[in-house]
Amino acid sequence: MTTETRFNLTQADLPKFWYNINADSPVKPAPVLHPGTKEPVTPDFLSVLFPMDLILQEISTERYIEIPEEVREIYKLWRPTPLIRAARLEKELGTPAHIYFKYEGASPVGSHKSNTAIPQAFYNKIAGTHAMTTETGAGQWGTALAMACNYFDLDLEVYMVKVSYGQKPYRRIFMETFGAQVFASPTDRTQYGRSLLAENPENPGSLGIAISEAVEVAALSEGKKKYGLGSVLHHVLLHQSVIGEESLKQMDMAGEYPDVVIGCVGGGSNFAGIAFPFLRENLKNGQRTRLLAVEPTATPSLTKGVYTFDYGDTAQMAPIVKMHTLGHTFMPPGIHAGGLRYHGMAPTLSALYDAGLVEAVAVKQKATFEAAVQFTKAEGFIPAPESAHAIRAAIDEALDAKAKGEKRVILFNLSGHGHFDMVSYERYLHEGLEDYEYPAEAVQDAMKDLPQVSL
Ligand SMILES: *Cc1c(COP(=O)(O)O)cnc(C)c1O
């Protein structure tokens, strides 16, 4: 044990390989199905949307995949990220537990999303793509891809959920600063968007709708434009493994090993990023770390969703995958953690949860902000509302350890900073934030729209 509280690696420690859990996972991912035929997709279908290198990573079972030098060079702008012991928070809680966090808010755009944005833009560039399309909710992913496309000289169209476009002008301006074009979705640029606007010109949009628009533009571009997704897909989870690989080394510097590793889950990528390298140690090296995914009670796809085949988007244009889902027609309540408002969950993570190798818990919005404020006052960093879900669970673990008089080592991922989320904090501090209960009826309705799949 040391009295140090910051564990910094040098650039020489930057991982040279991404870790692929599918090499070691005892559960095989289900096939990905074509949204029209509902038969397993061919690489041809996927190649309309993605460059071949990413498709091969999507289905790879190779344990380690080399990170291209061009990608590592850009990672060096902010990686390795710090791992910090939250000693002041421990003291404030009066817990014998030790709390560590990995700070992904250190990236230039403020979240873990750039870990996958950079390689996605890189593989598109070397495949001859001219432009990318994507969607963004709260704007974190759009900003990360805007930075990446700027570095690799690719044009970028971002379909931003209309309510966020109105509420988060600073994220939009950040994207535009990198040279991206940002549209409030639903737009009149796509068939799907026009059909929705004809029904209701005031449609506030949703992540599922924005995905459909970005996919439609890429699919109809005759190969000029490709689509990028910021979570859910296996190659995205793979790229995020740098978080866990660095954390393993940093916990070693701290002279400790985590009993529990925690991350918030929207589509599952930052959690997978920190947790899967620790899962490898469980599966291969006899460690027994608990891996805890944290979701909002308003969109509880792991704890309340059904593990079944469903579309990745609202318009049924994206592939059908087997995942924990609340139904692709489910409209999530307007919680402040926009990045966690998704009906599904990464298939890779869903399979591991179903097999009992990963745990999950759902937490309420107010208790989450309470944890965020407590953390900010103790440690100084203000977290994104998404990341605050992980903090809620970490504090609960620390209090449980206190009640039981246990020394527990807790590690959580602080997936992003909250500098663009002040309006959400304002609501919490001054306007009385609402708690959303589990929207059971809306989910039951959405379950009626699941695709009928004969597998
Ligand atoms: C997007 C986002 C999330 C949720 O996405 P995952 O793929 O589940 O990681 C969490 N935290 C932040 C800061 C985000 O931007």
Side-chain angles (χ1 to χ4, degrees):
M1 266 311 298
T2 152
T3 52
E4 299 275 312
T5 56
R6 276 181 82 101
F7 304 92
N8 294 323
L9 298 169
T10 68
Q11 289 184 344
D13 299 310
L14 186 68
K16 294 193 170 61
F17 296 90
W18 290 303
Y19 169 62
N20 182 5
I21 189 68
N22 282 345
D24 295 318
S25 173
V27 282
K28 256 202 161 32
V32 172
L33 308 181
H34 189 286
T37 64
K38 301 185 181 121
E39 296 291 327
V41 290
T42 55
D44 270 5
F45 169 74
L46 292 176
S47 70
V48 172
L49 299 179
F50 304 106
M52 196 48 72
D53 283 317
L54 291 176
I55 295 171
L56 293 175
Q57 290 181 0
E58 192 63 25
I59 55 176
S60 171
T61 51
E62 219 176 308
R63 183 168 290 116
Y64 293 104
I65 295 176
E66 190 164 6
I67 306 176
E69 204 41 53
E70 293 89 336
V71 171
R72 292 182 82 242
E73 272 310 307
I74 298 176
Y75 275 176
K76 280 181 185 168
L77 281 173
W78 72 95
R79 305 211 71 84
T81 58
L83 184 128
I84 300 168
R85 180 160 167 205
R88 289 173 172 275
L89 179 65
E90 291 168 12
K91 205 165 167 198
E92 149 97 16
L93 296 170
T95 177
H98 290 183
I99 307 173
Y100 293 86
F101 64 98
K102 179 72 166 160
Y103 188 49
E104 289 298 307
S107 92
V109 292
S111 82
H112 67 289
K113 297 258 174 31
S114 25
N115 298 330
T116 183
I118 301 297
Q120 288 193 39
F122 168 75
Y123 288 118
N124 268 291
K125 185 66 184 183
I126 62 172
T129 306
H130 294 283
M132 292 186 71
T133 70
T134 198
E135 73 291 329
T136 198
Q140 296 265 25
W141 166 241
T143 323
L145 195 60
M147 175 177 80
C149 284
N150 159 64
Y151 281 132
F152 290 106
D153 201 18
L154 293 165
D155 289 340
L156 175 63
E157 290 176 28
V158 181
Y159 292 82
M160 184 171 190
V161 178
K162 196 185 275 170
V163 276
S164 306
Y165 186 94
Q167 285 169 1
K168 305 216 158 177
Y170 301 125
R171 276 279 169 201
R172 168 177 59 75
I173 298 162
F174 203 172
M175 290 184 259
E176 289 171 345
T177 304
F178 283 119
Q181 279 185 290
V182 187
F183 307 103
S185 164
T187 70
D188 58 7
R189 300 173 55 84
T190 65
Q191 256 173 8
Y192 184 56
R194 286 190 295 271
S195 74
L196 293 175
L197 291 174
E199 271 170 38
N200 173 14
E202 309 299 321
N203 189 315
S206 75
L207 208 51
I209 293 170
I211 294 176
S212 299
E213 288 205 274
V215 166
E216 183 184 322
V217 171
L220 300 181
S221 73
E222 291 170 349
K224 289 193 215 55
K225 300 177 185 176
K226 299 274 186 206
Y227 167 69
L229 188 61
S231 183
V232 182
L233 297 174
H234 185 67
H235 66 260
V236 177
L237 275 53
L238 173 81
H239 300 154
Q240 296 296 351
S241 63
V242 291
I243 303 172
E245 294 290 20
E246 288 177 8
S247 300
L248 272 163
K249 287 189 187 172
Q250 288 162 306
M251 288 305 300
D252 198 44
M253 289 168 82
E256 300 211 82
Y257 197 85
D259 297 305
V260 55
V261 171
I262 300 170
C264 66
V265 285
S269 75
N270 87 84
F271 172 75
I274 194 160
F276 287 179
F278 286 93
L279 180 54
R280 172 189 66 214
E281 301 306 308
N282 285 358
L283 292 169
K284 293 177 64 87
N285 296 322
Q287 295 288 358
R288 300 183 57 181
T289 301
R290 291 167 46 226
L291 307 169
L292 179 61
V294 192
E295 57 189 12
T297 48
T299 56
S301 32
L302 284 177
T303 54
K304 297 270 175 125
V306 180
Y307 185 43
T308 187
F309 285 93
D310 195 8
Y311 299 96
D313 69 330
T314 309
Q316 311 184 355
M317 279 188 279
I320 296 172
V321 294
K322 191 171 185 191
M323 61 181 173
H324 284 82
T325 180
L326 301 166
H328 66 280
T329 53
F330 170 67
M331 271 285 197
I335 55 167
H336 287 276
L340 306 185
R341 285 181 75 226
Y342 181 63
H343 67 272
M345 189 53 64
T348 316
L349 177 57
S350 294
L352 290 163
Y353 176 69
D354 188 60
L357 292 166
V358 164
E359 299 170 27
V361 65
V363 297
K364 290 189 176 180
Q365 181 160 258
K366 270 198 220 162
T368 297
F369 273 90
E370 193 181 293
V373 169
Q374 192 172 25
F375 177 81
T376 302
K377 288 170 101 174
E379 300 294 328
F381 295 94
I382 193 160
E386 289 86 356
S387 320
H389 289 70
I391 299 179
R392 177 71 267 164
I395 290 178
D396 289 345
E397 284 283 334
L399 293 175
D400 183 59
K402 178 181 176 179
K404 294 178 176 149
E406 267 175 45
K407 194 210 135 190
R408 197 176 299 177
V409 180
I410 299 164
L411 168 64
F412 73 86
N413 192 33
L414 209 177
S415 52
H417 67 59
H419 297 176
F420 290 97
D421 300 288
M422 287 304 121
V423 172
S424 304
Y425 279 90
E426 164 88 345
R427 295 265 153 78
Y428 173 72
L429 293 172
H430 299 300
E431 294 167 21
L433 203 63
E434 289 172 69
D435 258 341
Y436 289 97
E437 288 308 319
Y438 168 60
E441 243 170 70
V443 172
Q444 238 169 29
D445 279 351
M447 284 298 151
K448 294 182 193 129
D449 301 324
L450 289 176
Q452 297 300 315
V453 168
S454 54
L455 270 180

